[in-house]
Amino acid sequence: FVGRDATLGQLRERLRSAGTAVVQALHGLGGVGKTQLAIEYAYRYGSDYDVVWWVNAEKTSLISEQHAALATELGLTPPRADTASAVGALRAYLRSRSRWLVVLDNAESPDDLRPWLPDGPGHTLITSRNPSWGELAARVEVDVLPRPESVELIHVTRADASDAEAGRLADALGDLPLALAQAARFLAETGMP
């Protein structure tokens, strides 16, 4: 992970400034690094939370199982408890605590995700390609990397690449972080210039 310090700082400030449940939606094109940004946020600020939990929100039909798994992990319900009881216990727990972060990764529809947003004074991050989160969350647009950060990302894997070479690769790939990381790994593995 490189760069995006301003976005991480803005995100941190937004989450810390509100007193009730805070929901932020990181949105942008596929491959711009929304998930990586959420991972980096959790990594940098994880010590500020008692609970950090990652939920794959692409298929909302599977969210209840992931919530139930968190309830079990927290010792709120036994491992074989029915899903509805576990989800209820988790919701009650999150309503009564403030030091939690739940990341709902790769969410598609605000309407489908609405029933799964945790209540309480903790923090929720949503990653999504969909920009229509205005009713449920404060939106944070994630765009491609600025060129210096693209070059830096390439240098993470290909330290031997010149700035000019890294710049040409970044230009060819539109500064898209996912494409840059994959191309740099491929070049490193194959030894291609």
Side-chain angles (χ1 to χ4, degrees), residues 7-18 24 41 45:
T7 304
L8 284 164
Q10 173 191 28
L11 189 58
R12 180 70 179 147
E13 204 49 46
R14 285 174 151 192
L15 288 169
R16 292 178 67 179
S17 66
Q24 301 285 311
Y41 180 86
Y45 303 110

Side-chain angles (χ1 to χ4, degrees), residues 59-124:
K59 294 186 180 189
T60 53
S61 61
L62 301 177
I63 293 176
S64 61
E65 293 172 19
Q66 295 174 76
H67 278 52
L70 175 54
T72 300
E73 183 71 24
L74 293 172
L76 305 175
T77 58
R80 297 186 202 279
D82 67 279
T83 301
S85 298
V87 169
L90 177 64
R91 287 184 180 278
Y93 175 88
L94 295 177
R95 272 193 300 274
S96 68
R97 307 275 190 304
S98 62
R99 292 177 40 93
W100 54 263
L101 170 66
V102 173
V103 178
L104 297 160
D105 187 40
N106 209 19
E108 293 186 5
S109 163
D111 291 334
D112 291 344
L113 195 63
R114 185 183 306 270
W116 298 108
L117 290 177
D119 297 330
H123 299 160
T124 303

Side-chain angles (χ1 to χ4, degrees), residues 1-182:
F1 187 88
V2 300
R4 306 226 194 229
D5 289 328
T7 304
L8 284 164
Q10 173 191 28
L11 189 58
R12 180 70 179 147
E13 204 49 46
R14 285 174 151 192
L15 288 169
R16 292 178 67 179
S17 66
T20 59
V22 181
V23 182
Q24 301 285 311
L26 306 171
H27 69 90
L29 298 173
V32 295
K34 301 174 296 291
T35 296
Q36 288 303 119
L37 190 61
I39 291 168
E40 184 66 17
Y41 180 86
Y43 173 76
R44 287 189 189 186
Y45 303 110
S47 63
D48 293 343
Y49 298 100
D50 295 328
V51 175
V52 176
W53 196 254
W54 198 271
V55 175
N56 180 348
E58 187 170 6
K59 294 186 180 189
T60 53
S61 61
L62 301 177
I63 293 176
S64 61
E65 293 172 19
Q66 295 174 76
H67 278 52
L70 175 54
T72 300
E73 183 71 24
L74 293 172
L76 305 175
T77 58
R80 297 186 202 279
D82 67 279
T83 301
S85 298
V87 169
L90 177 64
R91 287 184 180 278
Y93 175 88
L94 295 177
R95 272 193 300 274
S96 68
R97 307 275 190 304
S98 62
R99 292 177 40 93
W100 54 263
L101 170 66
V102 173
V103 178
L104 297 160
D105 187 40
N106 209 19
E108 293 186 5
S109 163
D111 291 334
D112 291 344
L113 195 63
R114 185 183 306 270
W116 298 108
L117 290 177
D119 297 330
H123 299 160
T124 303
L125 286 180
I126 298 168
T127 70
S128 179
R129 291 182 185 183
N130 186 343
S132 303
W133 293 94
E135 290 183 26
L136 295 181
R139 298 178 318 138
V140 178
E141 184 175 3
V142 181
D143 203 355
V144 297
L145 290 173
R147 182 58 48 88
E149 292 178 6
S150 293
V151 169
E152 184 181 352
L153 181 58
I154 292 167
H155 283 146
V156 168
T157 306
R158 286 294 309 263
D160 61 330
S162 71
D163 285 350
E165 290 172 323
R168 283 194 303 276
L169 181 58
D171 185 54
L173 297 175
D175 296 296
L176 194 64
L178 179 60
L180 292 168
Q182 289 174 340

